[in-house]
Amino acid sequence: VRTLRVEASNGSYDVHVGRGLLERARELVPVPESAENVALFADENLDTALVGGVLASLRDTGLRVEFMQTTGESAKSVRCAEEMWEWLADKGFHRGDLAVALGGGVVGDLGGFVAATFNRGMPWVVLPTTVLAMVDSSIGGKTGINLPQGKNLVGAFHQPRAVVADIDVLETLPEPAFRTGLAETLKHALISSADFLRRLLDERADIGAREPDTLEAMVADSAAVKVGLVNRDPFERGERAFLNYGHTLAHALESTGGYGVLSHGEAVAIGMMFAAYLAVELGYADRTKEHREALEAFGLPVTGARHDFETVALAMRTDKKYDKGMRFVVLEDIGRPAVVRDVPDDAVERAYEAVR
Ligand SMILES: NC(=O)c1ccc[n+]([C@@H]2O[C@H](COP(=O)([O-])OP(=O)(O)OC[C@H]3O[C@@H](n4cnc5c(N)ncnc54)[C@H](O)[C@@H]3O)[C@@H](O)[C@H]2O)c1
Ligand SMILES: [Zn+2]
């Protein structure tokens, strides 16, 4: 087991990464003194025995444990949040009780948001079950739901009390979701360290085969990149924005392409490739070859943007991260991210054409 420590101004907690951890949920989930009840929100697609094991382990605490299932991006909605708030109220939950989210980024964002808002906020714990959730979404306390107008438009910062990432659950993860998580893992390597990137490439076969020890090290090192950024910048006023590497174009591709056409990971892959070309336009080191090599090694696309530039540029201008002009994260070199503003339109267009 590797344990990382988040020490942010709005909350401190452990992130455990290892094998066989969910069987030990009772020991690793810190139950607050104040809790009489535990609400377990679980993804519907998880193995029944696994969910049963977590339930049993939580019941060993002697507290009453109630259980609710949900799944899918469409669950990150006001309607589902409302159902969960009312369910908690019906079951007699209080501010001192504990919520536990067992699932990928969807269940984490939704369950965390419900925990952030029910009774003005109750403690919560995340048990991430996708690579993306383990290395990215479960860490840092961003919770939220979507609106028809856009993704993640309603939410709250609410740090969990612990993150327990059990590598064994990744065995049943469908391949597209696995690959999306790898795109974020590559993102963490690209923005933090050429050595980390090299190691991922060296271990590509074991990673692809989901060799558990390799995945454990990969997840822990990737999560550590996020923990470091969250510790330094919990409310995303500065360098936490580096985590948006590749995401300005990715979100535009996802929203213009129709959801489901490109997975998030594929869109992020194309977005990072675009950012590598943009860096060249801006006079930084040419790392397009390194990007292409890394993305292709993990079966991720490096081209495939389909729309004309005008459509995509419009979508990028309406991005949530828009801040008095388009912003992009580019790499001055591998491991050296920077936020750039006021990028000339023709430079953006040339970089875009390179990934079309
Ligand atoms: N809060 C943040 O900081 C943050 C960061 C990045 C992404 N996100 C959010 O995360 C979400 C995406 O998360 P995701 O990629 O984990 O998707 P997801 O939660 O939808 O999970 C992907 C698919 O895998 C299934 N699944 C999950 N774990 C499984 C397992 N162990 N075995 C079998 N099936 C399993 C799910 O049912 C789903 O069909 C998006 O909504 C995104 O906005 C949030
Ligand atoms: Zn992402």
Side-chain angles (χ1 to χ4, degrees):
V1 189
R2 265 184 60 191
T3 300
L4 310 165
R5 183 79 183 160
V6 177
E7 297 273 6
S9 55
N10 60 339
S12 301
Y13 51 95
D14 287 333
V15 178
H16 305 285
V17 180
R19 302 191 59 193
L21 300 188
L22 288 183
E23 291 146 32
R24 296 164 52 199
R26 180 200 161 159
E27 184 192 323
L28 295 171
V29 169
V31 177
E33 280 292 317
S34 55
E36 292 176 321
N37 307 293
V38 179
L40 176 65
F41 301 121
D43 189 288
E44 251 165 56
N45 293 328
L46 296 173
D47 182 61
T48 321
L50 178 125
V51 179
V54 174
L55 267 175
S57 184
L58 292 172
R59 286 194 170 120
D60 276 348
T61 57
L63 304 182
R64 181 176 66 126
V65 183
E66 296 286 348
F67 167 59
M68 189 180 192
Q69 280 181 309
T70 185
T71 193
E73 188 66 39
S74 61
K76 275 178 56 174
S77 63
V78 179
R79 192 179 49 76
C80 282
E82 181 180 22
E83 246 174 59
M84 290 157 76
W85 288 319
E86 293 199 10
W87 180 85
L88 289 169
D90 284 342
K91 301 273 184 196
F93 273 80
H94 298 290
R95 171 183 297 181
D97 291 330
L98 180 71
V100 177
L102 172 66
V106 163
V107 172
D109 279 14
L110 172 66
F113 177 66
V114 167
T117 45
F118 184 75
N119 275 228
R120 297 202 179 82
M122 62 194 288
W124 75 299
V125 166
V126 210
L127 314 177
T129 65
T130 64
V131 177
L132 175 134
M134 290 180 184
V135 305
D136 194 348
S137 66
S138 69
I139 300 161
K142 275 198 202 174
T143 71
I145 57 176
N146 304 324
L147 294 182
Q149 287 79 0
K151 267 192 67 146
N152 302 332
L153 287 186
V154 175
F157 282 100
H158 186 46
Q159 298 284 4
R161 297 288 175 102
V163 179
V164 181
D166 185 342
I167 297 298
D168 291 338
V169 305
L170 298 177
E171 205 181 312
T172 57
L173 191 63
E175 191 61 27
F178 183 68
R179 219 144 350 109
T180 288
L182 293 184
E184 306 286 7
T185 304
L186 285 175
K187 175 189 80 180
H188 287 168
L190 285 162
I191 65 172
S192 72
S193 142
D195 286 345
F196 184 20
L197 184 64
R198 173 52 46 203
R199 208 191 81 213
L200 292 175
L201 280 169
D202 289 346
E203 294 175 347
R204 73 183 82 177
D206 286 341
I207 292 169
R210 306 194 195 181
E211 200 282 304
D213 292 333
T214 310
L215 289 189
E216 179 176 339
M218 177 192 90
V219 167
D221 289 342
S222 183
V225 174
K226 176 130 187 193
V227 168
L229 287 167
V230 167
N231 284 350
R232 294 195 291 276
D233 180 19
F235 294 107
E236 198 172 319
R237 299 199 171 109
E239 59 184 314
R240 184 166 174 176
F242 295 157
L243 294 165
N244 296 320
Y245 188 52
H247 279 61
T248 308
L249 180 64
H251 288 151
L253 294 179
E254 286 177 275
S255 66
T256 57
Y259 291 101
V261 175
L262 281 180
S263 73
H264 178 66
E266 290 169 329
V268 170
I270 298 169
M272 293 193 292
M273 194 67 225
F274 156 82
Y277 284 112
L278 190 61
V280 177
E281 290 288 337
L282 299 175
Y284 297 117
D286 184 346
R287 296 293 176 230
T288 51
K289 182 170 152 287
E290 286 80 355
H291 279 70
R292 185 175 307 107
E293 189 187 24
L295 295 167
E296 286 179 342
F298 292 98
L300 291 160
V302 292
T303 58
R306 297 180 315 158
H307 287 82
D308 57 71
F309 178 66
E310 284 316 312
T311 310
V312 169
L314 185 68
M316 288 198 284
R317 282 189 203 100
T318 52
D319 193 84
K320 174 159 51 66
K321 304 281 160 47
Y322 184 92
D323 174 21
K324 298 189 199 138
M326 263 197 262
R327 308 187 284 177
F328 293 99
V329 179
V330 296
L331 302 187
E332 296 175 358
D333 203 341
I334 306 293
R336 285 200 356 240
V339 175
V340 291
R341 294 163 192 278
D342 303 320
V343 180
D345 267 0
D346 57 330
V348 178
E349 182 166 3
R350 278 193 300 273
Y352 180 72
E353 291 303 331
V355 297
R356 245 181 106 180

